[in-house]
Amino acid sequence: MSWQSYVDDHLMCHVSGGNTLTAAAIVGQDGLVWAQSAGFPQATQTEIANIVEGFEDNSTLPQHGLFLGGTKYMVIQGDPGAVIRGKKGQGGVTVKKTNSALVIGIYNEPITPGECNIVVERLGDYLVEQGI
């Protein structure tokens, strides 16, 4: 299975009411995009490096925010070393860290934060189990 099909089939899948995430991607921890949906923001190497650092030091992102494609998300919660969740207006972002990648989902209403978390973390957990 290609990385693009993981994004298309598992991250951009239909959740309740037939809605999907706004955008999603799988990005290597080195900042290289493995696959992304249409409309995924152009994240910079610095933004990805800051997210990866935020998994190592969970005090940096809550203080400064999580930036993705120039958009700032307020970090609201997460699981240290595993998941970061952010909020902006009626939407937000979930980032799941695997051994070598970041699984990223961006949502807006009517998708709920919980629905985004489930979609992103389910794929991320699977990739971790596969050693990826």
Side-chain angles (χ1 to χ4, degrees):
M1 183 179 283
S2 74
W3 289 116
Q4 190 62 50
S5 59
Y6 279 106
V7 170
D8 296 341
D9 299 339
H10 298 282
L11 293 176
M12 298 303 292
C13 63
H14 291 279
V15 294
S16 68
N19 299 304
T20 65
L21 298 179
T22 304
I26 302 173
V27 180
Q29 290 183 26
D30 59 2
L32 296 176
V33 176
W34 295 4
Q36 65 185 18
S37 68
F40 189 80
Q42 184 67 38
T44 66
Q45 294 277 333
T46 301
E47 290 172 336
I48 298 301
N50 288 341
I51 293 170
V52 171
E53 181 183 326
F55 281 106
E56 305 302 322
D57 177 3
N58 61 4
S59 68
T60 59
L61 291 178
Q63 291 176 1
H64 305 289
L66 182 153
F67 286 85
L68 196 59
T71 299
K72 181 179 180 179
Y73 295 89
M74 179 179 62
V75 174
I76 54 173
Q77 64 174 326
D79 300 324
V83 178
I84 297 170
R85 298 179 188 105
K87 184 87 171 132
K88 178 173 177 54
Q90 301 301 313
V93 63
T94 301
V95 183
K96 170 69 176 175
K97 181 178 178 263
T98 71
N99 297 332
S100 55
L102 302 174
V103 179
I104 304 170
I106 299 171
Y107 68 93
N108 281 304
E109 285 188 339
I111 298 292
T112 66
E115 290 169 329
C116 182
N117 295 343
I118 289 169
V119 169
V120 171
E121 293 176 42
R122 182 181 301 149
L123 178 59
D125 289 342
Y126 171 77
L127 296 177
V128 168
E129 290 171 7
Q130 300 305 307
I132 298 169

